[in-house]
Amino acid sequence: MNRLSACLFALGLLVPGARATTVIDWEDPSVIVTTINSRHVRVTGFTTGDHHLRFTVDISTVNALLNVSFNPTGGENAPLNMNMPTPRNSLTLLTLTASLEGGVAMENIAYAILDIDGSPSLGNFRDWRDRVTITNAGATLSAVNSNYVQVTGLVATATGRNGNIGTTSTNGNVNVSIPNPTATIGFLYGPGPGDRFNSNQLIAISKIRFTANPPPPTNTPEPVTWLSVGVVLCGLGWRARRRGAS
């Protein structure tokens, strides 16, 4: 490799590459669940993948108690389960928010809400009926099986519609996509129309994937600064070599 080739190779290492996926993975050993009270749970840990960032997920309920776990649901091994046991009523509501330390923005977000269903059957929800509303602007929802989940795109809402879904089935899953940058991921979960509150409600959330662009450490020069220095040094070295060869 001649001097010019070596310089170009080194400069290539200094240029920032395309951002890869960062993941909130509920199965990562860093994940800790802290019970604030019977209606508020906080989940913390560090992301995996492209960036190692601290995350916080707050889950709280009104007019119902709250239990969280990591059990097989929606065909996944250990998603974050959120359960509201009886008694419930028409004002029952669960709120989830997820964010990164320092308010680092997330974009190109993708995750799934699992096990959105209603029982026992269409038009007769004497036990429960799940309804989830995504609070992020620009979110789009896609039901894995529209026979079991009704999606209303204009308000980003998914509602169970046709019977109980088993834990190994994906029929109650809804994929969520949020392209726009945001500092907070959020949704609301509660009873859908026709729910008669005779049983608990439970849904789960899959791993959350996104891209992030946190600011560099304050004691590290910006990549563009290193790049400028590298260009100058390589240029001087190349001129010196040309001058010596003449």
Side-chain angles (χ1 to χ4, degrees):
M1 179 182 292
N2 61 36
R3 183 175 297 179
L4 177 59
S5 298
C7 281
L8 293 176
F9 176 77
L11 289 174
L13 296 178
L14 294 174
V15 177
R19 287 179 291 163
T21 301
T22 301
V23 184
I24 295 178
D25 183 352
W26 312 116
E27 298 184 68
D28 188 78
S30 69
V31 173
I32 298 173
V33 177
T34 303
T35 300
I36 308 300
N37 55 50
S38 61
R39 301 172 189 268
H40 184 189
V41 170
R42 177 167 294 154
V43 184
T44 57
F46 289 90
T47 60
T48 61
D50 193 38
H51 292 291
H52 188 68
L53 304 168
R54 184 172 179 82
F55 69 83
T56 299
V57 178
D58 276 298
I59 310 165
S60 59
T61 59
V62 294
N63 291 303
L65 299 177
L66 170 65
N67 298 315
V68 302
S69 61
F70 299 96
N71 296 319
T73 304
E76 297 203 4
N77 181 50
L80 174 60
N81 288 251
M82 294 154 280
N83 177 51
M84 293 188 290
T86 55
R88 301 183 297 108
N89 56 47
S90 61
L91 299 178
T92 294
L93 189 67
L94 178 150
T95 302
L96 178 145
T97 59
S99 59
L100 301 176
E101 187 174 46
V104 173
M106 299 167 278
E107 60 184 312
N108 302 316
I109 300 161
Y111 64 91
I113 303 292
L114 314 175
D115 197 34
I116 300 174
D117 56 9
S119 186
S121 62
L122 184 65
N124 179 22
F125 304 104
R126 68 168 182 260
D127 294 328
W128 78 88
R129 189 182 189 191
D130 294 328
R131 179 168 62 182
V132 178
T133 300
I134 308 301
T135 56
N136 292 100
T140 58
L141 309 183
S142 176
V144 171
N145 189 333
S146 59
N147 289 325
Y148 288 90
V149 185
Q150 179 182 13
V151 169
T152 305
L154 293 178
V155 289
T157 297
T159 308
R161 64 181 306 179
N162 194 16
N164 183 29
I165 304 296
T167 59
T168 61
S169 174
T170 62
N171 284 332
N173 296 357
V174 172
N175 295 315
V176 182
S177 175
I178 306 169
N180 302 329
T182 179
T184 304
I185 299 169
F187 64 76
L188 305 174
Y189 169 50
D195 189 331
R196 299 180 189 178
F197 321 115
N198 289 321
S199 181
N200 67 301
Q201 279 189 288
L202 182 147
I203 59 168
I205 181 172
S206 71
K207 299 174 184 179
I208 304 174
R209 294 175 169 83
F210 55 91
T211 55
N213 190 21
T218 55
N219 61 347
T220 302
E222 294 286 345
V224 66
T225 302
W226 284 112
L227 181 60
S228 300
V229 172
V231 169
V232 172
L233 292 177
C234 279
L236 291 175
W238 179 248
R239 288 184 61 189
R241 179 172 179 174
R242 288 291 300 268
R243 187 173 299 166
S246 61

